[in-house]
Amino acid sequence: MHTGETITQFIIEEQRNSPSASGDFTALLNDVVVACKAIANCVQQGALVGGVLGSAGSENIQGETQKKLDILSNDIFLKANQWGGHLAAMASEEMDDVYPIPPQYPKGKYLLTFDPLDGSSNIDINLSVGSIFSILRCPEGVEDAKAEDFLQPGTEQVCGGFTLYGPSTMLVLTTGNGVNGFTLDHNVGEFILTHPNMTIPEDTAEFAINMSNQRHWEEPMKRYVDECIAGTSGDRDKDFNMRWVASMVAEVYRILTRGGIFMYPKDTRDPSKPGKLRLMYEANPMGFIVEQAGGICSTGRERIMEIQPNGLHQRVPVILGSKNEVERVISYHKDA
Ligand code: P6P
């Protein structure tokens, strides 16, 4: 069977469009892709490989129970990306602080943040999980990157991407020139371009939210979801469907393929945690992808990608997806 355009070919041809490119970014992206392939292999084998499933008996900085695969995936990302000489440092959902490049390796001009295995509560029940990553430039002149060097708004990202470990393994990527999707050909071991120029329909009749938190939402969110549920019997001119996979990567991929709105809104329970999702390695890379596909990514009150981060693990409310529905939610927040 003819092998289609591989992600390596795609990235190199993209690089040719930017004459100033040194090839450094291309090589970094290839190292990230290797990490995703290795994680795909672990996820796919599940219980067949001892020590992969189940809890690790530890908690991350988020206070969340770590799965063995969370830690394994984090190690895979570190080992695949630390040696290449393209990074000044890395940061991850699974590590409290910045991971400096070990002294035996050269440093580079980029910063990598990632959630190595998002939705890992799904792993033991064999539902889709994913990896999310974001690439920033290291500030000029910074040798030993610290946490504050990562605290750049999402508009500074040079790349946002995720890999969905689902029925097929998909990698979705943007470098600011649209969104492209690649399917892993397990026989060849390469991601093949299968979904060029992905775009999100401006309208949708499908919303995604964890309804069990309803009593903790602010009024604008309650209003919007109540109207979706009421459909044509209420103020909307259409009836809605609902989905909730508890895996952001799966929700975003669905929205890229058929539209939709995904919401993890502000929760009034704990003012220190305005949302569940993390800005640096979930909301920003997904926001970059969604905007590049013609959608919107907002807290309800501001564009996610314009937030000035105040911490590596900062949480934000996330409302993303089809333009016209997200704009309606934003208008309800303005009305309130
Ligand atoms: P809940 C997974 O843990 C995650 O970070 C996102 O991928 C997902 O959308 C959300 O949390 C699920 O949260 O409260 O439904 O378990």
Side-chain angles (χ1 to χ4, degrees):
M1 182 179 70
H2 173 66
T3 299
E5 182 175 347
T6 66
I7 194 167
T8 306
Q9 177 185 346
F10 179 86
I11 296 168
I12 289 171
E13 289 184 352
E14 278 261 302
Q15 174 194 310
R16 288 186 186 135
N17 298 332
S18 40
S20 61
S22 66
D24 210 15
F25 176 71
T26 298
L28 166 59
L29 218 38
N30 274 296
D31 293 345
V32 171
V33 167
V34 168
C36 293
K37 288 181 195 174
I39 294 170
N41 184 46
C42 292
V43 168
Q44 198 182 47
Q45 299 194 58
L48 293 173
V49 177
V52 164
L53 296 186
S55 290
S58 53
E59 279 192 353
N60 61 20
I61 188 171
Q62 331 286 343
E64 293 166 342
T65 303
Q66 288 177 305
K67 299 289 185 184
K68 289 173 189 160
L69 212 44
D70 279 323
I71 295 171
L72 186 59
S73 303
N74 194 67
D75 288 347
I76 288 171
F77 255 93
L78 296 178
K79 288 188 172 48
N81 289 287
Q82 66 182 358
W83 61 272
H86 314 302
L87 291 172
M90 293 186 251
S92 155
E93 174 179 303
E94 303 304 333
M95 301 185 297
D96 296 1
D97 203 350
V98 164
Y99 179 86
I101 299 303
Q104 66 267 36
Y105 301 123
K107 290 189 180 63
K109 60 186 179 185
Y110 294 106
L111 299 172
L112 176 67
T113 71
F114 53 91
D115 179 358
L117 200 69
D118 183 69
S120 56
S121 58
N122 281 341
I123 197 70
D124 294 343
I125 56 172
N126 199 29
L127 287 183
S128 297
V129 291
S131 301
I132 311 172
F133 56 89
S134 169
I135 300 175
L136 295 161
R137 288 184 186 82
C138 186
E140 281 296 320
V142 169
E143 265 300 301
D144 296 320
K146 300 282 184 288
E148 57 267 21
D149 298 309
F150 283 80
L151 303 187
Q152 306 173 35
T155 48
E156 293 301 307
Q157 293 174 105
V158 293
C159 175
F162 65 79
T163 304
L164 173 59
Y165 310 109
S168 64
T169 300
M170 295 288 309
L171 191 149
V172 172
L173 194 64
T174 186
T175 56
N177 305 304
V179 177
N180 292 282
F182 303 82
T183 304
L184 181 60
D185 179 337
H186 290 275
N187 299 318
V188 176
E190 275 288 358
F191 281 101
I192 307 298
L193 179 63
T194 50
H195 296 68
N197 193 29
M198 300 184 86
T199 53
I200 299 173
E202 290 194 346
D203 288 299
T204 184
E206 192 163 70
F207 71 95
I209 194 164
N210 181 340
M211 288 298 293
S212 69
N213 298 325
Q214 187 174 31
R215 63 191 182 283
H216 303 304
W217 301 337
E218 295 180 298
E219 284 312 311
M221 187 47 63
K222 288 179 179 176
R223 174 186 172 191
Y224 175 75
V225 173
D226 287 347
E227 288 179 358
C228 286
I229 291 169
T232 51
S233 67
D235 295 342
R236 297 304 301 269
D237 58 0
K238 54 188 171 183
D239 292 331
F240 280 73
N241 187 26
M242 195 201 119
R243 285 285 182 274
W244 188 250
V245 185
S247 173
M248 186 186 195
V249 173
E251 318 272 11
V252 171
Y253 185 77
R254 183 186 62 247
I255 289 169
L256 282 167
T257 54
R258 69 185 192 208
I261 180 169
F262 166 89
M263 299 161 279
Y264 214 109
K266 184 169 181 178
D267 189 313
T268 55
R269 274 173 286 192
D270 180 351
S272 70
K273 291 181 182 175
K276 175 177 184 183
L277 302 177
R278 277 63 50 145
L279 177 61
M280 295 303 296
Y281 38 78
E282 289 174 329
N284 269 340
M286 290 307 203
F288 193 10
I289 289 168
V290 165
E291 288 194 3
Q292 282 290 312
I296 293 179
C297 185
S298 170
T299 64
R301 293 183 171 84
E302 61 182 313
R303 182 186 177 204
I304 289 264
M305 293 224 295
E306 288 177 351
I307 294 173
Q308 174 53 52
N310 58 33
L312 274 182
H313 305 290
Q314 176 180 353
R315 297 171 187 266
V316 289
V318 177
I319 296 142
L320 63 78
S322 293
K323 179 175 175 290
N324 294 338
E325 287 301 313
V326 178
E327 282 179 344
R328 177 183 287 262
V329 174
I330 292 167
S331 71
Y332 289 2
H333 281 78
K334 286 195 176 105
D335 292 349

